[in-house]
Amino acid sequence: MAATPQESSFGRGAIVRVKLFQFLTYEAVEFRPGPRLNVVMGPNGTGKSSIVMAIAVGLGAAPRQLGRADTLSEFILTGRDVAVTELELLDDEATGRTRTIERRITRSQRGTSKWKIDGKSATEPQVKELVEKDLKIQIGNLCTFLPQEKVGEFSAFDDIGLLRETEKALGGQDLVDKHEALIKAEKAASEGARRIRTAAEELEDCEKRLKELEPEQARLERRQRHVEKARLCEQRLAWVKFEEKRELALAAKEAKKTAVEKVKEADEEAQPLREERDRAERARQQAKQKYDAKQRQTADAFAHLERDKKDLERRLEDLESEKDSSKNAEQRAAKAKAHAEKLRKAADTAQRALEALGTVDVIGLKRRVNALKPALVEAQTASRRAQDAAQDARDALTPLQRDLKAAKQQLQKVSTVKLRQQTFERAHGRAGSEAVRLRQWLDQNSGRFRKPVLGPVALETDVEDDGARCALEHAVGSWIWTSFVCQSKTDYDALYDFINNNSGFKTINLQNAETLKGKGKCFYDAAKLSQMRKLGVRDTLDSFVEAPPAIMEVLYGHHMIHNVVLGDSSMESNIQRLEPLLTGPQGYLALSATQEGPNPKVQIISRFQAYVSRYGNKDTTTATSRKQYSSQKLPALDDGNTDDKTRLEQDVKKAERALDAATKTAERLEKEADVKQCAADDEAKRVQVAGKDLAAFNKATRNKDACEEKAQRAEAKAQREESEKDKLKASQTRKLEQRLEAVTKVFGACAAGCKDLHACTEKVAYVMVERDAAKDASARAVEALQDKEQETQQLQDAAKKAIAAFDVLKGEARALKEAAEEIAPYDDNDLHAKLQELPEDSASVEAILDAERKEASRIHEDRGLQKRVEELQKKRDALKEKVDGMQGADDARTAELNKLRGPWEKTLRDALSSLKTKFGDYMETLGARGDVELVEQPTFARWGLAIKVAFRDACDLRQLDARVQSGGERSVSTIMFLMALQAHLPSPFRVVDEINQGMDEVNERIVFRRVVLNSTGPGAPQYWLITPKLLQGLYDMEHPDVRVLVVYNGAHNIKRPRDWDLDAFLGAKRRLVGAN
């Protein structure tokens, strides 16, 4: 890219142009800084620090590195989804060629970004390589880039951290890497020496333990001789026990043979008894089969007889049924005849009743009734009209009742919503009027929003008493009362667009409380508040406030009312005792409210407030004030207008009078309707009396005709039943004869069946006797055989025991032989020669064995002694070899450590020497003294750097410390050290944000002069100084290398910045100075 004429004196890597779009507070901005000192100034909140953030973010800094945000999305302008930073840097001083780096940030959970270099897509590593390696820009170095949020962090470094930052400035990352390598080498050498000491101690311990084990080895040898003698006894005892067991096994073998022979003889004697048992069993089976056959014949005869009996019973039931059917027909005929006679008598009675009425003039009666009906209709019509009039009067009461209710409601509301709105408008002027109009618009368009929009805040908030109300107005900014609170981001954006597009709502503030976070951290718990109440504190300010949760969220977030305490008049006298309880990590705010005079709205508000310095947590500044205050911004619920109340009360009385008159009219009409209804009832009775004779004649006629019809139907039915009875009687006579013949036949079959059953029963009794005799014979044969087999079984059991005893003894003998062979093989002649020297009986051998074992047991057996000795000897040899090798490695590490230390320490001390001189010179311009000392410690990891200053001649140099120097002294000392350090750090540009915080006017002038001297003239790097203001009379500004960039960004600054011609102002000032 071609360079502009103004860029000719820029250094390589300097910022030539900055362009921002929707970044933090900027909608869109583009400007060109100067090549040397750029002073960016403007009121607080206009976006000066936003420029610092844009430079850092645009060159690849992480959000957490800046200490201002956690995610990239937080850098996007509120209500927007994309932010863009574009930085143009000089790449070649000779040709003026520049490089442009663009970063586009898109809103997401953590924010995503895309990079471009010179308009082409690039990756973040490529951007960092260009920035850090090619252009030598160190964004992470506080000496190069010191944002507002990091100023306090630099001053808070300890000796070790200060040395690390100084190394970065003096020698770059290379010097820091050398220090880290030296720390690692020292740590490795220390670890090697520790390992050598450990190995030598282990070797000494190993040799000592071997010496201690020599007596134990001698005792172990004596015990071994007794153990070997006991072993020979065990071997001899095994063979002796085998011989004894073998003799017992031979005797058991003979006993087994005798028992087997006895079993064989008993089995031969039981054979004839088995044959006798089989013959008796066959005879029993034959007799049982014959008995079962006869039993089946008897069962068949019995079943045949049962079937004949059931058939007889069924036929007898049919005979009885035929008899009952005949009787039923006769009963139905008699019943129908009796019913017909009864109805005939009723018909005759109805005829006589009709005749008793005599001759009736039916036509005359009808004419009389018709003559009375018009009067009845007229009376009924008059009654209905009176009732309708009464109902209309009652219906007329409803709107009057509604009017009365509405008037009462208006009277009730006149002390709340409407009059509060009127009081609110008077208190807040134009902002109040706009807020009320917006509230009315929101009520009419509530359907356009997802959740209710609350506001204005003053009308949504109620305070417990006048003292708390005055204190709340005193503690909270007045802008909050005319604000509106949205409960979703969608509603916020929609209402924001409506307000921006409508010129009638320019003073409206919007807040978003989509997520209710609650109070957050509270400084005062229940125990602390209990102590504070004893000293005049009533409670925290939020406990006196009632408002919707979203409103409370805004009050918590913006004004922290849950950490503001409210007291009474006694709190003022106890404030010194309260201060330890009040002070929190961010200071405190305490208010007391006391009524002044008879008016409760006028209160004396005392304010006690402590501030904590932003450059350290231990410096606090306390401020107090006391003044009379009257509640104005926050209207109470009982605020009202007397004229409106009077008018509404008159409306209520008027509505009550109208309702009373209408009620009386309705009651009068209801009484008239009752009179008309009575007249109609009288006419109806006269018509009823006139029609009574006609109705009686008509009723008698209808009754006579109905009774005659019923009698005729009943007589016809009686005739039909009589005819059916005669026909059924002839038919049933034939059926009864047939059923009697069938019953007689079944009786004969049953008699024959009983005879057959009797004959079968006699045969079964004879066969049963034969079966029982065969069964008894079989039982006697079985019993005799069982006795013989029991005797045989006893002999078999005895034989089995003999066999088992032999097998056991045989197995035991075999096992003893195998055991003896195992511990003393038979073919080992030398061993057996030794064994022959021992006794031949087991008792003697066991006695010798016990004696040897006792001798061996008197000596403690250490089974692992020999193994431990061997292991210790092996370990001793290995440790000797290890110590020799480790000693050589330790010598090499020590040499390497010395090799690393020399260059690093020389470079550091040479650079510090120059740094000390510059820092001393800079401090001398302040009328103070300064020095920088290297703090040496036993390890290189703990080496540090100490800044020492003295602001008074009588004082010695003291290390920079919050307990020694004031906040302003520490701030100016830190700045002078940074400027002295920056002279050693090659960097294309440097950025410092609001370094003049906490300085007095004299020091601020000196610091500014030093900044100008260090950042102007040939060869000076580009410098960015961010400040909210400049002192008057800074003549160092009159330098061609100083460029002032004034920020007019923000809603409350100049509406049309182009009308603010700063060059014209400066020209006029210069002409005025020249004229004077």
Side-chain angles (χ1 to χ4, degrees):
M1 297 179 63
T4 61
Q6 291 81 3
E7 294 172 341
S8 58
S9 59
F10 281 90
R12 187 171 186 267
I15 300 174
V16 176
R17 179 176 58 87
V18 178
K19 183 177 181 181
L20 306 179
F21 176 69
Q22 297 181 171
F23 186 87
L24 285 177
T25 60
Y26 290 98
E27 178 71 35
V29 67
E30 183 177 13
F31 63 91
R32 292 180 176 273
R36 298 292 181 262
L37 178 59
N38 293 276
V39 181
V40 181
M41 63 181 295
N44 287 329
T46 55
K48 303 183 301 300
S49 296
S50 298
I51 296 175
V52 178
M53 296 298 108
I55 294 173
V57 171
L59 294 177
R64 293 182 182 274
Q65 185 178 346
L66 304 176
R68 182 163 179 168
D70 293 329
T71 64
L72 287 172
S73 296
E74 297 179 49
F75 291 107
I76 302 175
L77 182 65
T78 302
R80 303 296 190 271
D81 296 325
V82 176
V84 180
T85 65
E86 184 178 314
L87 302 178
E88 186 177 352
L89 309 173
L90 185 66
D91 185 43
D92 191 335
E93 296 181 48
T95 62
R97 184 171 64 89
T98 61
R99 305 295 298 272
T100 302
I101 300 175
E102 177 185 312
R103 186 174 193 177
R104 175 179 292 269
I105 303 172
T106 305
R107 188 180 297 280
S108 63
Q109 185 175 1
R110 297 192 60 83
T112 58
S113 60
K114 295 182 179 180
W115 295 89
K116 288 184 179 180
I117 298 178
D118 295 337
K120 297 180 181 179
S121 297
T123 62
E124 187 169 345
Q126 291 174 335
V127 172
K128 288 188 175 181
E129 183 177 3
L130 172 63
V131 172
E132 296 174 1
K133 295 184 178 181
D134 191 12
L135 300 178
K136 307 300 182 183
I137 300 173
Q138 301 179 24
I139 294 296
N141 193 329
L142 296 181
C143 296
T144 299
F145 194 88
L146 190 64
Q148 180 179 349
E149 288 74 9
K150 294 290 185 176
V151 172
E153 179 180 327
F154 192 92
S155 61
F157 279 137
D158 58 6
D159 295 351
I160 298 174
L162 186 60
L163 179 60
R164 294 297 186 275
E165 293 299 322
T166 303
E167 285 179 322
K168 290 180 183 178
L170 295 177
Q173 190 62 38
D174 181 59
L175 188 59
V176 175
D177 293 342
K178 287 181 179 179
H179 192 180
E180 291 296 330
L182 186 61
I183 292 172
K184 291 180 181 179
E186 182 183 43
K187 186 176 180 181
S190 176
E191 182 65 20
R194 186 191 62 79
R195 289 197 297 268
I196 291 174
R197 289 194 301 272
T198 302
E201 291 172 358
E202 289 181 2
L203 177 60
E204 183 179 356
D205 181 66
C206 187
E207 292 176 343
K208 182 179 179 181
R209 290 171 62 188
L210 284 172
K211 188 69 175 176
E212 292 173 350
L213 291 177
E214 289 178 357
E216 290 293 329
Q217 286 182 285
R219 285 194 297 273
L220 185 62
E221 291 174 358
R222 288 199 306 274
R223 185 182 184 284
Q224 188 63 29
R225 289 195 292 268
H226 291 294
V227 170
E228 290 176 357
K229 182 64 178 291
R231 179 63 175 166
L232 288 174
C233 291
E234 290 173 354
Q235 293 171 333
R236 178 59 176 168
L237 184 61
W239 282 106
V240 170
K241 288 183 176 181
F242 163 69
E243 292 296 338
E244 293 174 349
K245 189 65 70 174
R246 187 169 68 85
E247 292 176 1
L248 292 175
L250 292 175
K253 183 177 180 181
E254 290 298 327
K256 179 191 77 168
K257 182 177 179 182
T258 302
V260 171
E261 290 175 354
K262 289 181 179 180
V263 170
K264 185 176 180 182
E265 293 174 358
D267 186 62
E268 291 174 353
E269 293 174 357
Q271 185 60 33
L273 295 176
R274 293 191 187 96
E275 294 174 356
E276 180 64 25
R277 180 200 61 185
D278 295 341
R279 284 194 299 272
E281 179 64 22
R282 287 193 295 272
R284 186 187 70 78
Q285 292 289 343
Q286 291 173 359
K288 184 177 182 300
Q289 292 174 0
K290 184 185 283 189
Y291 170 78
D292 291 342
K294 294 299 181 182
Q295 188 70 22
R296 285 193 295 273
Q297 291 177 2
T298 302
D300 292 342
F302 182 79
H304 192 271
L305 178 61
E306 287 294 322
R307 286 194 298 273
D308 290 341
K309 287 171 65 178
K310 289 181 179 179
D311 189 19
L312 178 61
E313 291 173 355
R314 181 175 59 79
R315 292 186 183 278
L316 288 173
E317 289 176 357
D318 291 343
L319 183 61
E320 292 296 329
S321 177
E322 289 296 334
K323 291 180 181 179
D324 293 340
S325 177
S326 177
K327 290 179 181 179
N328 291 337
E330 292 176 355
Q331 290 175 356
R332 285 196 302 274
K335 185 177 180 181
K337 183 178 180 181
H339 185 62
E341 291 174 352
K342 181 179 178 182
L343 291 177
R344 172 52 59 190
K345 290 179 181 180
D348 294 342
T349 301
Q351 180 63 34
R352 287 194 296 271
L354 179 62
E355 292 174 354
L357 292 175
T359 304
V360 177
D361 185 4
V362 176
I363 298 174
L365 290 174
K366 289 183 177 179
R367 288 175 178 173
R368 183 182 175 188
V369 170
N370 292 334
L372 293 173
K373 282 184 178 179
L376 175 62
V377 172
E378 183 179 355
Q380 290 176 340
T381 302
S383 176
R384 284 196 299 272
R385 288 175 179 172
Q387 290 176 356
D388 291 342
Q391 183 62 41
D392 291 340
R394 285 193 295 270
D395 293 342
L397 293 177
T398 302
L400 294 174
Q401 290 172 344
R402 282 199 303 267
D403 293 343
L404 176 60
K405 183 178 180 180
K408 288 182 177 181
Q409 289 176 347
Q410 289 295 110
L411 180 60
Q412 182 180 3
K413 289 182 178 179
V414 77
S415 299
T416 56
V417 177
K418 184 175 181 180
L419 294 184
R420 287 191 80 200
Q421 287 183 353
Q422 293 174 355
T423 305
F424 173 77
E425 286 189 71
R426 288 194 299 270
H428 293 275
R430 176 187 173 188
S433 300
E434 290 186 1
V436 171
R437 284 194 290 105
L438 181 59
R439 178 70 268 166
Q440 294 170 352
W441 182 87
L442 289 171
D443 293 338
Q444 296 169 1
N445 298 272
S446 58
R448 299 173 59 177
F449 300 93
R450 295 175 59 186
K451 294 183 179 180
V453 178
L454 305 175
V457 173
L459 298 182
E460 301 281 358
T461 306
D462 184 25
V463 186
E464 183 175 315
D465 53 47
D466 293 300
R469 182 176 295 101
C470 292
L472 183 63
E473 291 185 19
H474 201 75
V476 175
S478 59
W479 62 270
I480 197 68
W481 302 122
T482 58
S483 299
F484 285 75
V485 180
C486 299
Q487 301 185 70
S488 78
K489 184 61 169 60
T490 304
D491 294 348
Y492 177 86
D493 294 340
L495 187 56
Y496 181 86
D497 292 339
F498 171 77
I499 292 173
N500 278 349
N501 296 329
N502 194 321
S503 61
F505 301 114
K506 293 302 183 182
T507 63
I508 297 299
N509 289 310
L510 282 185
Q511 304 295 325
N512 185 21
E514 181 174 10
T515 303
L516 299 180
K517 300 178 181 178
K519 296 182 179 181
K521 184 177 181 181
C522 295
F523 297 159
Y524 312 113
D525 54 20
K528 186 176 287 188
L529 280 173
S530 178
Q531 298 179 38
M532 294 163 67
R533 289 191 182 99
K534 298 176 183 178
L535 300 175
V537 172
R538 296 175 63 190
D539 210 331
T540 54
L541 192 54
D542 66 306
S543 63
F544 300 93
V545 180
E546 291 185 7
I551 299 294
M552 295 301 292
E553 182 72 20
V554 174
L555 295 175
Y556 291 145
H558 286 280
H559 304 288
M560 299 180 67
I561 63 173
H562 58 291
N563 287 324
V564 179
V565 297
L566 176 63
D568 51 25
S569 57
S570 62
M571 189 184 80
E572 298 182 34
S573 59
N574 295 320
I575 190 63
Q576 292 183 350
R577 298 171 59 190
L578 275 170
E579 189 165 2
L581 298 173
L582 288 171
T583 303
Q586 300 177 8
Y588 67 83
L589 173 60
L591 303 171
S592 70
T594 307
Q595 182 174 333
E596 179 77 3
N599 187 359
K601 296 181 181 291
V602 179
Q603 302 279 332
I604 296 297
I605 301 297
S606 297
R607 181 185 182 102
F608 305 92
Q609 187 167 10
Y611 305 91
V612 177
S613 173
R614 64 188 297 175
Y615 296 106
N617 294 330
K618 296 184 179 180
D619 291 337
T620 60
T621 303
T622 305
T624 60
S625 64
R626 191 174 192 273
K627 65 178 181 178
Q628 180 176 310
Y629 191 84
S630 177
S631 176
Q632 299 173 351
K633 303 299 182 182
L634 186 59
L637 287 176
D638 60 349
D639 287 346
N641 188 302
T642 305
D643 295 338
D644 290 340
K645 288 183 180 178
T646 303
R647 178 179 58 77
L648 290 173
E649 287 172 354
Q650 293 174 354
D651 291 344
V652 170
K653 291 179 180 179
K654 181 179 178 181
E656 288 176 344
R657 288 194 296 271
L659 178 61
D660 185 56
T663 303
K664 291 179 180 179
T665 301
E667 291 174 352
R668 178 177 56 79
L669 292 174
E670 287 176 353
K671 290 179 181 179
E672 292 177 359
D674 293 339
V675 172
K676 298 287 186 181
Q677 183 63 39
C678 291
D681 292 340
D682 293 340
E683 292 296 328
K685 288 179 181 178
R686 283 193 289 273
V687 172
Q688 184 178 5
V689 171
K692 185 176 182 179
D693 296 338
L694 180 61
F697 176 77
N698 292 335
K699 182 178 179 181
T701 303
R702 289 194 299 271
N703 186 35
K704 188 265 297 183
D705 294 339
C707 289
E708 181 64 28
E709 183 180 358
K710 289 180 180 178
Q712 291 176 1
R713 286 199 303 268
E715 289 171 351
K717 183 178 180 181
Q719 291 176 359
R720 288 195 303 273
E721 290 293 337
E722 187 65 27
S723 177
E724 289 293 332
K725 182 190 73 170
D726 295 338
K727 292 179 182 179
L728 182 62
K729 187 174 182 180
S731 175
Q732 285 181 340
T733 302
R734 292 191 298 271
K735 290 182 179 180
L736 286 173
E737 292 174 354
Q738 293 173 358
R739 283 179 169 75
L740 283 173
E741 184 180 357
V743 167
T744 303
K745 186 177 180 180
V746 173
F747 264 122
C750 287
C754 288
K755 185 178 180 181
D756 293 341
L757 178 62
H758 187 267
C760 290
T761 303
E762 290 179 351
K763 293 178 182 179
V764 168
Y766 176 76
V767 176
M768 185 184 296
V769 173
E770 292 180 351
R771 183 198 66 178
D772 293 341
K775 184 177 180 181
D776 293 340
S778 176
R780 287 193 297 273
V782 169
E783 184 177 358
L785 178 60
Q786 287 177 347
D787 293 341
K788 191 61 178 177
E789 286 180 343
Q790 185 175 3
E791 180 184 353
T792 303
Q793 184 63 42
Q794 292 175 354
L795 293 173
Q796 287 178 347
D797 293 340
K800 288 179 180 179
K801 291 180 180 179
I803 293 171
F806 169 71
D807 292 339
V808 170
L809 291 172
K810 181 180 178 182
E812 290 177 352
R814 183 181 294 110
L816 289 172
K817 183 179 181 181
E818 291 175 355
E821 281 282 354
E822 184 176 354
I823 63 175
Y826 189 77
D827 55 357
D828 190 345
N829 296 328
D830 295 336
L831 175 60
H832 279 275
K834 295 179 182 178
L835 297 179
Q836 292 299 325
E837 297 175 359
L838 297 172
E840 295 182 355
D841 60 299
S842 58
S844 300
V845 176
E846 287 177 350
I848 297 173
L849 176 61
D850 291 341
E852 292 297 331
R853 284 177 175 174
K854 288 179 181 179
E855 289 296 329
S857 64
R858 289 192 182 97
I859 303 173
H860 173 68
E861 178 185 11
D862 189 349
R863 298 180 181 274
L865 179 62
Q866 188 61 35
K867 183 178 180 180
R868 289 201 304 274
V869 170
E870 293 175 356
E871 289 177 351
L872 287 172
Q873 291 173 346
K874 183 177 180 181
K875 183 178 180 181
R876 177 191 59 190
D877 297 340
L879 286 173
K880 286 182 178 180
E881 183 178 356
K882 181 179 178 180
V883 169
D884 293 341
M886 292 173 66
Q887 190 62 48
D890 184 61
D891 295 341
R893 283 192 294 269
T894 302
E896 178 66 19
L897 180 63
N898 294 331
K899 182 180 178 181
L900 291 172
R901 176 177 181 172
W904 169 79
E905 188 172 359
K906 183 178 184 307
T907 302
L908 180 61
R909 291 186 184 279
D910 291 345
L912 286 178
S913 175
S914 176
L915 178 63
K916 289 172 64 174
T917 302
K918 283 188 178 295
F919 180 61
D921 294 342
Y922 290 173
M923 291 297 293
E924 188 176 354
T925 61
L926 297 173
R929 289 173 292 146
D931 193 11
V932 179
E933 291 185 1
L934 187 64
V935 180
E936 299 184 18
Q937 296 290 346
T939 62
F940 291 110
R942 296 174 57 190
W943 276 38
L945 193 68
I947 301 175
K948 293 186 176 183
V949 296
F951 284 87
R952 284 164 289 278
D953 294 336
C955 297
D956 296 331
L957 288 171
R958 300 285 298 276
Q959 187 168 348
L960 202 61
D961 193 311
R963 293 168 295 184
V964 178
Q965 292 86 12
S966 67
E969 290 173 342
R970 286 185 290 110
S971 178
V972 72
S973 299
T974 302
I975 297 305
M976 287 303 183
F977 177 78
L978 282 172
M979 286 190 289
L981 194 60
Q982 287 173 347
H984 293 80
L985 176 66
S987 179
F989 64 85
R990 299 187 179 94
V991 179
V992 180
D993 190 0
E994 297 194 20
I995 61 172
N996 54 346
Q997 291 294 324
M999 296 184 190
D1000 58 20
E1001 181 179 346
V1002 174
N1003 288 334
E1004 187 174 352
R1005 290 181 183 277
I1006 295 173
V1007 169
F1008 186 79
R1009 183 179 300 113
R1010 175 50 54 192
V1011 170
V1012 173
L1013 291 174
N1014 286 11
S1015 58
T1016 57
Q1022 189 181 45
Y1023 205 99
W1024 295 75
L1025 177 64
I1026 314 299
T1027 179
K1029 60 179 180 59
L1030 288 175
L1031 297 173
Q1032 295 182 359
L1034 292 177
Y1035 299 109
D1036 299 287
M1037 293 281 290
E1038 301 293 333
H1039 194 286
D1041 287 344
V1042 177
R1043 176 173 294 185
V1044 179
L1045 303 173
V1046 183
V1047 180
Y1048 295 112
N1049 183 43
H1052 302 288
N1053 286 294
I1054 301 169
K1055 299 300 181 182
R1056 294 187 296 177
R1058 296 186 183 279
D1059 294 345
W1060 185 269
D1061 193 345
L1062 186 61
D1063 291 336
F1065 295 160
L1066 294 176
K1069 178 65 175 179
R1070 290 191 180 96
R1071 288 193 297 274
L1072 181 61
V1073 172
N1076 292 335

